[in-house]
Amino acid sequence: MKTEGTKIVNERGEEVLLRGMGLGGWMLQEGYMMRTGDVAGQQHVLRAKIQELVGPERTEEFYSAWLANHTRRIDIDSMAAWGFNSVRLAMHYNLYTLPVEQEPVKGQNTWLEKGFAMTDSLLAWCKANNMYLILDLHAAPGGQGNDLNISDRDPGKPSLWESEENQQKTVALWRKLADRYADEPWLGAYDIINEPNWGFTNPEDKNGCNEEQNAPLRKLMMDITKAIREVDQKHMIVIEGNCWGNNYRGVLPTWDDNTVLSFHKYWNYNDQAAIQGWLDHRDKYNVPVWLGETGENSNVWFTQAISLVERNGIGWCWWPLKKMGFNNPLEVKVDPGYQRILDYWKNKGPKPTATEAYQALMQQAENTKLENCIYHKDVVDAMFRQVQTTETKPFKTHQVAAGTTLKAVDYDLGRNGYAYFDKDTANYYISTGGPRTPWNKGHVYRNDGVDIEAGQSGFYVSSFEEGEWLQYTLDVPQKGTYNLVLQVSSDTQGGKVSLSNNGAVAAAAAVVPNTGGAQNWQAIRLAKVPLVQGQNVLRIKADGGSFNLDTIHFESAGKGKSTRQKTKR
């Protein structure tokens, strides 16, 4: 790929709209991905805590297993099958070279084969799938910001900006990478410093959001570019501003004619105003812009954001592919033993033995394999199909006959207002200036606006509020009239539920009783609901109050005449 005016094109001159995914959590663990929170936000802190439990040799075993399992050929093959055409590798420098304080000879660089070999393998997997690999220096020597977790920075040591040695090592690393991959056509670009966030002229402006000059950032990126161009004149260079990639004051104009300007977008509105500044930069400086990192929100937000940038000719890269969390394509399951380690670190449980901790950590590394993860097809559907259409499709096949029971959480796939309707659908706290707002209050099972909780007998819809509804596409082999028995619970009065089928009222509103608790389930019956043979589109609506919904059971209430009998008559 290369730049051509404001566009990114391939070697045939065809425009490339990047649709990518970032491999966060593989080479660089962040605390929130590992569920360690403030106990161990940075990877080096987490590693030290693990070593206290199991010793240095077993800690090394765990990290070797983690790196071997987390991202493999099957992950890249799967991303290609889902529709992604690019991968952004979040690199930790310490897999490629020693920290400056560990160098045997001061000022020299010791190169480590581990990181380069991992990158070689990843590039081969991408190449086999015709996907572009974008190298992203996520953790630079010394750390590039005051948001410590994202770069594994140790504030007790000189940062990237406080150490000439760290800067020289950063420049040398990029020259080494560029020399290695100069002739690789599926190496898409070099994203040279991820999310710098530093107050250069005012230390109180910790993340550099008000910085006006950004001179050290511009200089270092120019030095990196010069080193890359000594060995590689072909590949695009991606630059990022201060303030997590978004403050370009003093950075522009660009200094290389094959440069892409990256911005990062989180938790704000998905309207034209949200990206207009980047479009202005694109036009003013005649340079492509790329949404280089975004995500960590709801399916509604995902569809909105992708629709917004694509209709403005901007490619994107999501974050991340997998973590211990539900709002990404793959969810890493939390091993019970690993949870006990977390509980111990957070003073909520006893200390596990070294053997128990080692077994739990190795199982957690095993859980990162794709085949052991939970695949969230709703997330992928929101990122690709829902961007193009408002049509809905079944989340699961529901073939209905007398005796069939559906789980309420298995409503259709599709946009809010089409497959379901929920009032709280995304987190816009950056735009609103208010608190972070959950869309799915239970943070489990699905990433839509619907609230879902984990119960004793599986997942259920919670906080089903007045005006909200859920849609289910049913396959009914035989026409008939059915009683629908809903398992509901509530700890308030005033709940009501009604039903429509194929757009027509099928059952009048029924009262949801106060059952005295969230999982004190009680059956209510919606009687004599007619279902036609073939496809039925059922909608269950909350007409009042707030309640929980677990299952929908179908009982025969007397069969209607078949289509064949009607034709004969």
Side-chain angles (χ1 to χ4, degrees):
M1 292 189 295
K2 63 181 179 181
T3 66
E4 189 174 273
T6 60
K7 295 180 179 179
I8 296 172
V9 300
N10 62 22
E11 55 193 2
R12 294 184 297 276
E14 300 162 336
E15 185 174 3
V16 177
L17 189 70
L18 292 169
R19 297 180 173 101
M21 179 60 74
L23 299 180
W26 183 26
M27 289 186 170
L28 172 61
Q29 299 166 328
E30 295 183 47
Y32 83 98
M33 294 184 180
M34 305 297 291
R35 295 200 172 178
T36 54
D38 295 335
V39 171
Q42 303 114 292
Q43 179 174 276
H44 72 271
V45 177
L46 173 60
R47 186 175 185 122
K49 294 185 78 67
I50 290 174
Q51 188 164 309
E52 288 175 1
L53 286 176
V54 301
E57 290 184 8
R58 286 180 163 181
T59 298
E60 191 60 41
E61 279 188 66
F62 164 70
Y63 276 98
S64 293
W66 183 275
L67 294 174
N69 295 345
H70 185 284
T71 302
R72 298 175 295 144
R73 170 71 185 261
I74 189 175
D75 294 277
I76 308 307
D77 291 348
S78 298
M79 282 192 283
W82 298 335
F84 295 98
N85 64 10
S86 50
V87 174
R88 180 172 178 251
L89 172 62
M91 302 183 298
H92 196 311
Y93 82 93
N94 68 9
L95 290 167
Y96 300 84
T97 185
L98 292 175
V100 293
E101 62 270 14
Q102 294 180 19
E103 285 290 358
V105 179
K106 185 178 176 64
Q108 291 191 7
N109 295 301
T110 301
W111 301 113
L112 308 175
E113 183 57 25
K114 180 71 172 178
F116 294 102
M118 290 173 66
T119 308
D120 289 348
S121 295
L122 178 60
L123 179 57
W125 305 333
C126 289
K127 187 186 300 186
N129 285 287
N130 291 342
M131 297 174 74
Y132 291 105
L133 173 61
I134 297 165
L135 301 185
D136 150 40
L137 187 54
H138 221 79
Q144 62 268 32
N146 282 310
D147 190 341
L148 305 179
N149 301 353
I150 61 173
S151 62
D152 192 25
R153 181 177 160 231
D154 182 351
K157 298 175 182 177
S159 73
L160 174 65
W161 310 112
E162 297 167 320
S163 164
E164 181 66 24
E165 288 179 284
N166 280 328
Q167 293 177 28
Q168 290 305 315
K169 183 175 280 287
T170 301
V171 172
L173 173 58
W174 273 117
R175 191 184 193 282
K176 186 81 170 176
L177 289 163
D179 188 43
R180 191 180 187 100
Y181 301 117
D183 296 320
E184 291 288 352
W186 291 104
L187 195 294
Y190 305 127
D191 189 347
I192 55 180
I193 305 177
N194 174 71
E195 292 190 342
N197 59 103
W198 193 265
F200 296 112
T201 57
N202 180 9
E204 292 183 4
D205 178 23
K206 287 191 173 182
N207 303 118
C209 296
N210 298 314
E211 181 71 35
E212 292 293 335
Q213 299 177 11
N214 287 307
L217 174 58
R218 178 181 168 91
K219 179 183 182 302
L220 180 57
M221 291 197 294
M222 290 178 72
D223 290 345
I224 293 170
T225 303
K226 180 181 177 182
I228 290 173
R229 291 294 179 238
E230 289 172 359
V231 293
D232 180 354
Q233 291 79 45
K234 298 177 183 177
H235 288 104
M236 298 188 307
I237 291 174
V238 176
I239 61 172
E240 301 188 26
N242 207 343
C243 188
W244 295 283
N246 295 311
N247 175 2
Y248 277 90
R249 292 189 292 274
V251 173
L252 299 172
T254 58
W255 48 90
D256 184 271
D257 61 6
N258 199 15
T259 298
V260 175
L261 188 157
S262 173
F263 69 101
H264 292 187
K265 185 180 189 301
Y266 285 100
W267 311 301
N268 61 354
Y269 291 141
N270 289 307
D271 54 18
Q272 195 69 16
I275 63 166
Q276 189 58 50
W278 308 115
L279 301 178
D280 294 343
H281 280 329
R282 180 172 70 180
D283 294 339
K284 180 177 180 179
Y285 298 106
N286 194 36
V287 61
V289 296
W290 174 53
L291 178 50
E293 190 182 301
T294 187
E296 303 290 14
N297 216 311
S298 70
N299 288 341
V300 171
W301 196 93
F302 292 176
T303 301
Q304 289 176 346
I306 292 171
S307 298
L308 171 67
V309 296
E310 288 200 356
R311 69 174 173 262
N312 283 280
I314 298 173
W316 47 268
C317 188
W318 237 244
W319 181 267
L321 171 65
K322 63 177 74 167
K323 67 173 185 290
M324 298 175 208
F326 76 117
N327 59 338
N328 22 263
L330 298 171
E331 178 177 353
V332 179
K333 293 181 235 180
V334 179
D335 176 71
Y338 180 71
Q339 184 60 54
R340 286 191 285 273
I341 293 174
L342 296 179
D343 291 341
Y344 164 64
W345 284 338
K346 297 175 184 179
N347 297 316
K348 296 179 180 179
K351 181 179 182 178
T353 66
T355 299
E356 290 170 340
Y358 170 71
Q359 291 173 344
L361 288 164
M362 295 305 288
Q363 183 58 56
Q364 196 59 42
E366 186 72 13
N367 286 356
T368 65
K369 289 181 175 178
L370 180 141
E371 60 268 32
N372 296 330
C373 290
I374 301 167
Y375 170 50
H376 289 296
K377 63 182 178 183
D378 57 297
V379 173
V380 174
D381 191 72
M383 296 177 70
F384 289 98
R385 189 186 66 86
Q386 291 178 40
V387 173
Q388 305 299 327
T389 181
T390 58
E391 291 182 5
T392 64
K393 61 184 292 188
F395 181 74
K396 286 186 177 179
T397 299
H398 298 308
Q399 191 169 73
V400 170
T404 298
T405 300
L406 309 183
K407 290 291 290 183
V409 294
D410 293 332
Y411 57 89
D412 284 355
L413 283 168
R415 296 187 190 181
N416 187 44
Y418 295 88
Y420 66 95
F421 176 71
D422 196 276
K423 297 176 182 178
D424 302 312
T425 58
N427 182 4
Y428 300 103
Y429 89 97
I430 293 294
S431 290
T432 64
R436 292 176 183 260
T437 52
W439 52 95
N440 173 352
K441 295 174 183 175
H443 303 282
V444 290
Y445 195 63
R446 295 178 67 168
N447 193 40
D448 299 315
V450 178
D451 297 308
I452 298 175
E453 304 275 356
Q456 297 169 351
S457 59
F459 300 109
Y460 64 92
V461 173
S462 66
S463 302
F464 196 24
E465 300 175 349
E466 183 175 0
E468 297 180 343
W469 51 263
L470 301 166
Q471 175 177 295
Y472 304 85
T473 299
L474 313 178
D475 176 22
V476 180
Q478 186 171 5
K479 173 183 177 180
T481 304
Y482 296 82
N483 297 328
L484 269 63
V485 181
L486 311 183
Q487 290 292 331
V488 297
S489 68
S490 178
D491 54 10
T492 62
Q493 302 287 351
K496 289 184 179 180
V497 60
S498 65
L499 189 72
S500 66
N501 186 36
N502 294 332
V505 175
V511 174
V512 176
N514 183 341
T515 67
Q519 293 188 63
N520 291 336
W521 300 107
Q522 187 170 320
I524 60 172
R525 180 174 277 100
L526 300 175
K528 296 183 178 180
V529 176
L531 300 181
V532 301
Q533 185 180 27
Q535 180 175 290
N536 291 254
V537 179
L538 201 71
R539 285 189 178 180
I540 296 177
K541 183 180 179 182
D543 284 321
S546 176
F547 55 94
N548 304 328
L549 178 62
D550 185 24
T551 59
I552 306 154
H553 180 73
F554 293 79
E555 295 179 342
S556 176
K559 298 178 180 177
K561 295 182 181 294
S562 71
T563 302
R564 183 177 177 184
Q565 289 172 321
K566 183 183 289 186
T567 303
K568 275 187 173 181
R569 187 178 68 192

